[in-house]
Amino acid sequence: MNHSLPSEDLKLRLLREVESTPSSPRPLESKRTAWLVAIALLASFSVFLVFGGVRLTGRPPSLVLGTVIGTATIAALAIWAMIGRGRAMMGRASSWLTAVAIASPLGLLVWKVLWSAQFENGLDAWERRPGFRCLGLGLAMGALPLAAMLFGRRGTDAVHPGRAGMAIGIGVGLGAATLVDAWCPVAYVPHLLLGHLLPLALLGAVGFWLGRKILAP
Amino acid sequence: MVIEWTSIGTFRNDAADRAAREAREGFPRPLVQEEKAQGRAKAPEARVEPRSSDTAADNAMDRYASGEDAAFSDLYDLLAPRLFAFVLRATRNRSEAEDLVQQTMLKMHCARGRFIRGAGVVPWAFSIARRLVIDRARRSKVRGNANDIGDPSEVLAHLAALDLAADEVVHAKLLGKIIQAEIERLSPNNRLAFELVKQDGLTHAEAAKVMGTTVMAVKLRTHRSCAALRAALHKSLDARDA
């Protein structure tokens, strides 16, 4: 018996167990995940339309367009940096995920404030708009895609499932924030913190919690 | 203590070979010098190419993920011995190690449909095994107390087969003990980086994936570990010579 090798019967035991444990092959799983994510994105967009879709609300079109393009760019970069895995199962390093998770919402805030400041009354306070509706919209649009993406990656991240879940949550939140920016005319900083950034933090926190349960093998 | 024997074996008897060479040359050579002499000085850069067994394992996993059930057996043959060595070092208990290898392979089976085409299966498998080891250690709160990992006579027989003089064998055993003691003293992260790269044969990039850190961090930790081992060896050999 070679003591540096597993025993002979381990393979037999394992093969028996594998036979009795169902698991879907990749073609089936990919199709299922693609459908799930597509349905979740459609549902999110439906929520956006139900809330009223793109609204100018007295804003110049260039303000809306610039805000949305900037937010979409930050979201796309952050999603690539945090959710993209390339040809690897474990995604990026924890430090990288944490850095992007902190930097991208701050980038969103800075862009929104800087771009809105270019326009007259762009940063005015809206007393009757503390941000709860934006908070609700962001969470409603982010919840389903977060669940679908976590489900699509279940059991695959043994290194940092919590942070990977957080990254997915914030990435999804950034995508939702792009649509929220097309809907919300307010760029008053306290409103942005409550209505536009808090959903990212909450989705990130939920993603972290669920990630540890779902993404860990 | 049994672990030294395994370590000498895991080091692929480098210690014994080195001891024999040192005995001929009359002085110990530092590890870096040793690696240079063997054309391994640029080891990190030279090892960017995956090992053939890694490629074979990637192919097997890819076939298995695509639905070819028979590929699991090949995957087991390619991965299980490496995973077992890795887990055995952490648990020091054969039955626990086998149990963890079984769980690792089962988890890979359950997640096969989500395996990314073209991804490396080796770092993924090691990361799952590492997580299971950590989970088990947390549950038991005891790290390796069983020490039933094997028969030291096997390593002794191997050393004997090298046709070394008795003092060389003793010297090799001593070096193995020193190395193992120093490895035990390394910080957990440095030790893991060292074990993954130097003992399990992963590239720095693969080890970085397993540890969830950057390649630079793994290189740094491996370097620190090697430096600590070198210093310990020098110190003990100087003491012996004195």
Side-chain angles (χ1 to χ4, degrees), chain B:
Chain B
M1 196 174 152
V2 180
I3 190 75
E4 295 93 35
W5 301 105
T6 309
S7 297
I8 295 172
T10 316
F11 275 100
R12 299 180 189 88
N13 294 299
D14 277 1
D17 296 345
R18 200 174 300 121
R21 211 166 20 254
E22 285 168 14
R24 279 198 302 274
E25 294 172 4
F27 62 92
R29 282 206 282 189
L31 286 177
V32 165
Q33 204 180 329
E34 185 76 22
E35 287 181 345
K36 276 182 187 164
Q38 293 177 8
R40 284 191 278 142
K42 295 200 171 197
E45 288 75 23
R47 288 177 39 188
V48 287
E49 285 297 316
R51 292 156 43 133
S52 59
S53 64
D54 289 4
T55 314
D58 292 346
N59 289 338
M61 184 65 212
D62 222 34
R63 283 188 285 130
Y64 188 56
S66 302
E68 190 184 323
D69 290 348
F72 186 81
S73 175
D74 299 341
L75 189 65
Y76 175 90
D77 292 339
L78 290 162
L79 284 182
R82 293 177 70 182
L83 289 174
F84 183 72
F86 173 69
V87 173
L88 185 59
R89 265 202 314 277
T91 60
R92 302 179 191 179
N93 181 305
R94 280 192 64 86
S95 60
E96 261 192 43
E98 286 195 355
D99 190 28
L100 289 173
V101 169
Q102 183 174 353
Q103 282 186 49
T104 304
M105 298 296 292
L106 258 182
K107 288 193 181 291
M108 291 169 67
H109 157 73
C110 291
R112 68 167 168 161
R114 296 175 291 284
F115 184 76
I116 296 171
R117 193 183 298 277
V121 70
V122 173
W124 186 47
F126 271 84
S127 68
I128 295 174
R130 182 189 173 218
R131 185 171 188 86
L132 291 172
V133 167
I134 292 171
D135 287 349
R136 178 157 297 204
R138 276 184 190 148
R139 272 201 302 273
S140 65
K141 294 192 175 172
V142 178
R143 186 179 184 272
N145 54 358
N147 285 346
D148 70 337
I149 56 173
D151 182 2
S153 62
E154 200 174 289
V155 181
L156 268 183
H158 189 90
L159 287 171
L162 290 173
D163 198 21
L164 299 172
D167 61 334
E168 290 171 356
V169 173
V170 171
H171 187 199
K173 283 165 59 182
L174 174 70
L175 288 179
K177 278 185 179 177
I178 293 166
I179 289 169
Q180 191 55 43
E182 198 55 36
I183 288 175
E184 293 290 327
R185 266 199 293 274
L186 296 172
S187 71
N189 279 336
N190 286 359
R191 182 168 61 226
L192 181 64
F194 178 82
E195 287 177 348
L196 288 172
V197 173
K198 298 291 182 187
Q199 293 182 288
D200 296 314
L202 270 67
T203 62
H204 288 94
E206 288 172 339
K209 290 287 179 197
V210 174
M211 297 178 70
T213 186
T214 59
V215 175
M216 191 53 71
V218 170
K219 284 184 177 176
L220 194 64
R221 286 168 185 170
T222 313
H223 173 76
R224 281 180 185 156
S225 305
C226 288
L229 289 177
R230 254 198 313 273
L233 278 174
H234 275 305
K235 199 173 158 187
S236 60
L237 291 169
D238 287 348
R240 186 197 64 171
D241 293 343

Side-chain angles (χ1 to χ4, degrees), chain A residues 60-100:
Chain A
S62 56
L63 170 59
V64 179
L65 199 64
T67 307
V68 169
I69 287 174
T71 309
T73 307
I74 291 169
L77 286 173
I79 287 170
W80 169 79
M82 291 194 294
I83 302 181
R85 289 185 291 179
R87 282 185 163 192
M89 287 299 290
M90 273 87 67
R92 299 186 197 277
S94 302
S95 52
W96 174 271
L97 292 181
T98 307
V100 180

Side-chain angles (χ1 to χ4, degrees), chain A residues 41-210:
Chain A
L41 291 177
L42 263 177
S44 286
F45 197 68
S46 303
V47 169
F48 176 65
L49 293 180
V50 166
F51 265 68
V54 180
R55 298 186 314 171
L56 291 178
T57 334
R59 291 181 291 174
S62 56
L63 170 59
V64 179
L65 199 64
T67 307
V68 169
I69 287 174
T71 309
T73 307
I74 291 169
L77 286 173
I79 287 170
W80 169 79
M82 291 194 294
I83 302 181
R85 289 185 291 179
R87 282 185 163 192
M89 287 299 290
M90 273 87 67
R92 299 186 197 277
S94 302
S95 52
W96 174 271
L97 292 181
T98 307
V100 180
I102 292 169
S104 50
L106 290 178
L108 198 74
L109 178 68
V110 169
W111 171 252
K112 178 99 175 167
V113 169
L114 283 181
W115 185 248
S116 299
Q118 309 301 314
F119 297 85
E120 198 178 345
N121 305 323
L123 296 175
D124 283 356
W126 292 47
E127 297 297 337
R128 297 177 63 189
R129 291 279 190 89
F132 288 113
R133 288 168 68 192
C134 293
L135 174 67
L137 179 59
L139 290 176
M141 285 196 296
L144 275 179
L146 172 62
M149 293 188 75
L150 287 175
F151 182 79
R153 285 194 181 182
R154 68 192 183 283
T156 56
D157 195 325
V159 179
H160 42 41
R163 285 191 208 205
M166 176 196 70
I168 293 175
I170 291 178
V172 160
L174 285 165
T178 306
L179 293 179
V180 172
D181 276 350
W183 179 81
C184 171
V186 185
Y188 179 50
V189 173
H191 170 95
L192 292 180
L193 292 174
L194 177 66
H196 296 227
L197 293 196
L198 187 59
L200 299 185
L202 290 176
L203 286 168
V206 171
F208 184 86
W209 183 68
L210 286 177

